[in-house]
Amino acid sequence: MAEIISKIIEELNPQQKEAVTHVNGPLIIIAGAGTGKTRAITYRIAWLILSGQAKPEEILAVTFTDKATQEMEERVDRLLPYGYVDLWISTFHSFCERVLRDYAIEIGLPIDFKLLDTAGQCFLVQKNFDRFDLDYYRPLGNPTKFIRELVKHFGKAKDEVISPKEYLEYAQGLEMDNDRSMSDNLVKGEAGRIKEVANAYYTYQQLLLDNGALDFGDLINYTIELFSKRPEILEKYRKKFKYILVDEFQDTNWAQYKLLQMLAQPKNNITVVTDDKQAIYRWRGAAYNNVFQLKKDFPKCKIVFLDENYRSRQAILDLAYKFIEQNYLEDKDSGVKFKGLLSKNLKSTRKGEAEIAHIHAKTQEEEAKETVKKIIELKKSNPKASWNDFAILVRANNQAEIFCQTLRWNNVPYQFLARTGLFSKPIVMDVLAYLKLLDNYHESPAVYRILTSPIFFDKLPNQDLINLTYWANRKNWSIYEAIAKVSTVPNISPKGIEELNKVLVWIEKHTQLAKKENASKVIYAFLEDTGYLKLLSESAEKGNEQNIENIFWLRQFFNKVKNFEEVNLDKSISNFIQMIDLMLDAGDTGAVAAEAEESGPETVKVMTIHAAKGLEFNWVFVVNLVDRRFPTTERHEAIEIPTALIKEIIPEGDIHFQEERRLFYVAMTRAKDGLFLTSAEDYGGKTVKKFSRFLYELSLIDKKFPPKPIPSVKDLRQFLAPKEIMVSSKSDYQLPTKFSFTQLMAFETCPLQYKFAHILKIPRKGKGSLVFGQSIHNTLQKFLQKYLELKDAEQTGLFTPSSLTDKKKSKKEITFKDLTQIYNECWIDEWYEDKNNQDEYKEKGKKILKDFYDNFMKNPPKIKSLELPFNFKLGEYALKGKIDRIDEVEGGIEIIDYKTGNSKEKIDANEKQQLLIYQLASRSLFREPAVRLTYYYLETGDKISFLGDEKELEEIEEKIKKIIKEIKQSEFPPKPGRLCQWCDFKDICEYKAV
């Protein structure tokens, strides 16, 4: 172990080593751009574990996105020679949700609460709008205009840990003060407005509780409330986590800081990684002055600076530092001495010159052409370069299209990594059009979109479509009516009539389906019956870039549908369309998860600067550097938090331009070898655009002698090598870094099935049997968790009777009625064939649970763990999984996996594989040996137990290594056979065995 630790330490520079090997007490790591902050935090996690300072489960590491969490996990995986069990690397929200799922009942919340995203919040308010007593924020012409702004405001209040009660008390106090002073009508009106907002906040929070729902702000706030009201629970987590590590600390809000402060005491072993120069999220609630608050609250805090930059050449760093210093010059009289400590220039470890240039064009079209021309020139002059080495960074999504269009016209592969705009993607617009058509047959624009979608490519003659719409207009029919009467419409070809009649069949079938099924089932039926999904999957499987991207958008859309169905009792198409319309009316074009970078061919990346944070590229183009585009004009919040209620340290100076400068600094420091700043005179307005003030601050232009626009090349094809004109269609897929039993078996069954499921991630049709199994599984997990909590409470006296919100908790045992209630809460009513089929499954589940309960209570086992995640090394590979249950038995532990299928008298070698993998994991991760592996068949109550011998374990180990090696080298060919009939993708696979 000492050798491994020594090897890790050798890979660090002196500053990183100092940060990584810090033992106890608070630590602030000031990590500039490209200085290895992720390395510092992941190496620190590994060092704490390997040096014996803490076990994996005694470390809590928090960050902000699932993507950052995954990256941190992967890096820790590579550093640890063995795996780990239950290492808490998660987002703030995931951590709090995990805590509340276990203890929400202690503060009167349901443990099965629904979690609403912004769309769900707005939809809930709209559905219950009559409960809000609004005047100022309910304009007569558009009553629901401010719904989104109100919801956003409530979220900001929660970021500041302002409860509805506190807000109301402030508003009432303000009103009383004004009454006493007899102030003017303007001030009284402001007091009335604040009271209206406070009342709306109170109503909104009550509405959430009435519907058993929480929003993301609630996750943090209720966890703080839980820890405040139940100090015994807080103490449990304080004892559990010896060390707390926080990434991107400058992005934390006040509520997140308070949570960390509570958890860290009294040991105060908290490490935060921060960079004030990259604080760019104040607009979404971040309080980057939290670092000063941390220094104030933890005065013995050690500070380590990481200033060796491994990314950019020195000229880029010098220019970026000269620029960002403008922020500190503005704030020199602010009195915050610590701020000066954070401002340090970075030293590049890379030798050589950087190319820095300002490109100015006459028009925005020429600006885009010059940008693409330069990209092509750089790629040709750097033989080892790939398209992945280039990025075009825009300030806002709506500035990207001209650059995407120019790249597309010149056959340069690109990917627009937008974080919004899901509902404007062609595939999503096609699905939404069809749903609107089902809701209203006479929605002619929706019908027209379907007729011009890829479904009818090369099938419906264009002249037929022209004739159809012509006669629809002439007869004053909707397009649907014209299709219904297509035999009477002149000049429609026989082929056209055949294709149009298909539309009528689909509409009739899916209309009937929509009357009784959830939105997701109807959407899947549309994609399947029309052949749309097959069209996408076949071309994506062959490497078609556009359809690989379309599947990504479709997957994101299905996530939206899933979220909608999880939180709404009415899961119908009509209700779903209402929610989408509300979002679009409010200007919400659909958020997109940060997943697009995961796979695909090499491409030039076009993205916003916010999306580029954390990434790096050889050559970076920051575009549209003109007045009002970058920096932008300040937009104040539609509804602002009263200053008196704000708890964080409020920044001084020109807050908006400080943030814009930091954003520009982030853009500059993405570049490794070349930084190009572009602008134009004409963006379609009446006046010539002025240069961005940032260009003057960088001294790249002179006010007296501004640059003249350069003439733009008309045709860029001369700059492309012949082989580059047609971009290869073959994609280099990003394979998983960790593998599960499910993945391995999918590949062994059929490599193409593996590709569909785990690389392309094509949405799959659900199955009633699988949903049933999930419902039973979730029920047992929650039941057993509650059983263990009650048992622990009795033994340790953790909860006193007066602290219990549920009287049943004072009983010595959990009842079958409790189990039934949990079952009803966990029941998933999706993907069954019909209502009768669902009822049969539900009755079957009740019998299974009754038998389980009776057997369990007769002889309760000693449960050690439930739903235990694990990660372990097998040579150079990593395997992940989750064990349903681990019991303490004589001589060691029993590993149990639940099965809802039919029981068997005997299981063969293939069926043993899952539990043998768990046994392999237990050997390297658990202190107690596994003495029994058990499949528990819940339907019959039968158990089949075994234990792998050395030969079996060696065989499964070699088999896993062989499969993973094949995955990494595979072209994912089909493997048709008898198993095709059970494949999730049989209806879209052209290779299936009939």
Side-chain angles (χ1 to χ4, degrees), residues 599-703:
S599 62
E602 63 172 70
T603 54
V604 173
K605 302 298 186 291
V606 183
M607 66 180 79
T608 65
I609 301 167
H610 283 100
K613 188 172 181 292
L615 305 178
E616 59 182 43
F617 306 91
N618 286 41
W619 296 278
V620 168
F621 293 77
V622 188
V623 300
N624 286 188
L625 287 175
V626 294
D627 186 42
R628 296 179 182 273
R629 289 203 165 203
F630 201 6
T632 61
T633 304
E634 183 176 9
R635 292 182 180 179
H636 293 282
E637 296 285 345
I639 311 172
E640 294 188 337
I641 301 286
T643 304
L645 291 174
I646 295 175
K647 298 180 175 70
E648 65 179 270
I649 299 174
I650 300 175
E652 299 183 15
D654 192 328
I655 298 172
H656 172 69
F657 279 117
Q658 289 172 14
E659 180 113 345
E660 290 289 293
R661 280 199 193 95
R662 290 193 296 270
L663 189 60
F664 193 73
Y665 175 85
V666 167
M668 296 172 74
T669 54
R670 300 310 95 198
K672 297 168 70 174
D673 301 315
L675 175 64
F676 303 92
L677 311 175
T678 76
S679 59
E681 290 184 0
D682 181 5
Y683 287 89
K686 293 183 179 180
T687 59
V688 173
K689 281 288 185 181
K690 297 179 181 178
F691 289 114
S692 165
R693 62 185 285 178
F694 291 164
L695 291 174
Y696 293 111
E697 291 177 1
L698 287 164
S699 302
L700 290 180
I701 54 175
D702 190 319
K703 289 185 178 181

Side-chain angles (χ1 to χ4, degrees), residues 16 62 97 298 337 402 421 454 564 568 605 619 649 784 812 850 892:
Q16 290 173 334
V62 287
E97 183 175 4
F298 299 90
K337 301 299 183 185
I402 186 69
F564 163 79
N568 286 281
K605 302 298 186 291
W619 296 278
I649 299 174
L784 295 174
K812 291 185 177 180
K850 183 64 169 71

